[in-house]
Amino acid sequence: MNGFLKFIWTSCALLFLALSPAEAQVVTNVPGATNRPARFVMHFTEPDPLDFSNHDGYVPLFDGQDLKGWDGNPKFWRAEDGAIVGESTPQNPCGNTYLVYRDMKAKDFTLKFEMKIVGNGGSGFQYRSQTGIPWLAPISARVISNTGPVNLNWMMTGPQADFWPSKIYTGQFYSENTPMRIIAWRGQVVEGFGEKNKQLMGNIGDRAALGDLVKTNDWNQYTVIARGGTFIHIVNGQVMAVLVDDDPNSSNNQPGLFGIELESITQLYVRNIWVKKLD
């Protein structure tokens, strides 16, 4: 074997040894291959199909029966027919109010839940969030006359997977009760550094067209992936928004609580809440 062929054969052999069994397959039964070295065939694989009901490695945050572990104003929250129900009416307005899950704090996780709005109101699912922080936005006198002075234990500050089917907000990354507010609109991939700056890096799709995938007065499947400073919001199998926040001191990058927002006059339903906690 001359030097060049020996070099080629040795290089291929080293590459083969570096491959895992899933990446390479030895082929030895090639006709006429007597006294020839074995060769390998590369394989490309697809991920397992999307399965929203796959809960391997997940734990439930709601048992479908009661609000054990959850903390909120009982004027607006109840468990009914296997779902958490939030309801605000003209006679019983809530403004912004939150149902806080007190039994877990998390930073890195995958969260799955189903959410439905009946009417034109809004909601969202809080994560990595805090309570007890002074509220920045004004609260109407009508709400205060109904609920009494604001209870900061029922107000949440931090990242939110927004959900408002009658408007353009569903799927976006919203920073509740901070100056950042909307950081990544629906259809955007954004890179930022806390409150200091944010930059559009690319587009996922047209904001209005993505809204056509959101169901009104019906159940929507929502997935939130949080890893370090990277956040991905997925609704009904479609990526809606991606944020990368590189500021380690950002409120987006602290471990915190999960919770559900109720906003405006509406009926909200949430069920099948599962989280795979990685930290």
Side-chain angles (χ1 to χ4, degrees):
M1 180 182 296
N2 63 41
F4 177 73
L5 291 177
K6 185 176 181 181
F7 169 76
I8 295 297
W9 190 92
T10 303
S11 299
C12 290
L14 289 173
L15 176 61
F16 172 74
L17 290 173
L19 293 170
S20 70
E23 295 171 314
Q25 174 183 341
V26 178
V27 178
T28 58
N29 60 344
V30 179
T34 306
N35 298 323
R36 294 182 184 177
R39 64 184 179 88
F40 62 92
V41 177
M42 294 290 292
H43 286 280
F44 298 97
T45 62
E46 292 282 351
D48 292 336
L50 175 67
D51 184 1
F52 191 81
S53 63
N54 179 11
H55 299 140
D56 291 345
Y58 289 73
V59 296
L61 301 190
F62 173 56
D63 63 8
Q65 299 178 3
D66 56 46
L67 297 182
K68 180 181 179 181
W70 295 88
D71 178 24
N73 191 332
K75 286 174 66 74
F76 307 111
W77 300 101
R78 65 185 186 272
E80 182 178 283
D81 296 331
I84 292 174
V85 181
E87 185 173 12
S88 177
T89 66
Q91 296 75 31
N92 186 33
C94 72
N96 287 66
T97 192
Y98 299 80
L99 185 67
V100 186
Y101 189 70
R102 297 287 185 186
D103 288 353
M104 179 188 293
K105 283 190 174 183
K107 182 178 181 181
D108 292 345
F109 59 85
T110 299
L111 169 71
K112 295 180 179 182
F113 59 92
E114 290 183 285
M115 185 172 276
K116 174 173 68 172
I117 288 280
V118 175
N120 296 320
S123 179
F125 211 106
Q126 299 289 139
Y127 58 92
R128 290 189 182 181
S129 292
Q130 318 299 325
T131 59
I133 297 175
W135 200 247
L136 298 179
I139 299 174
S140 74
R142 185 162 175 263
V143 169
I144 293 176
S145 67
N146 182 49
T147 63
V150 61
N151 184 342
L152 293 177
N153 289 324
W154 294 336
M155 305 296 276
M156 302 192 76
T157 298
Q160 182 190 104
D162 213 327
F163 186 74
W164 201 318
S166 64
K167 297 189 178 182
I168 61 172
Y169 304 134
T170 298
Q172 71 181 10
F173 185 102
Y174 186 73
S175 182
E176 183 66 273
N177 196 41
T178 81
M180 292 180 283
R181 299 299 185 179
I182 301 174
I183 305 178
W185 292 75
R186 184 169 69 207
Q188 293 183 339
V189 179
V190 173
E191 183 180 67
F193 196 87
E195 298 181 16
K196 295 180 180 179
N197 59 66
K198 61 180 179 179
Q199 176 72 52
L200 179 66
M201 305 301 292
N203 293 295
I204 298 164
D206 177 76
R207 191 173 301 164
L210 290 172
D212 292 338
L213 302 175
V214 181
K215 302 174 184 177
T216 58
N217 300 316
D218 201 355
W219 291 106
N220 292 263
Q221 297 177 342
Y222 216 132
T223 302
V224 176
I225 300 173
R227 299 287 191 281
T230 300
F231 310 88
I232 305 172
H233 293 177
I234 304 167
V235 179
N236 296 326
Q238 171 65 53
V239 176
M240 292 291 191
V242 177
L243 171 66
V244 179
D245 186 342
D246 291 321
D247 181 3
N249 297 316
S250 168
S251 59
N252 297 324
N253 287 332
Q254 312 309 312
L257 299 163
F258 295 104
I260 304 168
E261 180 193 31
L262 179 64
E263 184 176 359
S264 188
I265 304 301
T266 197
Q267 284 184 313
L268 162 70
Y269 300 83
V270 190
R271 69 183 184 187
N272 293 331
I273 309 170
W274 296 81
V275 64
K276 179 170 63 178
K277 187 172 181 287
L278 300 176
D279 59 347

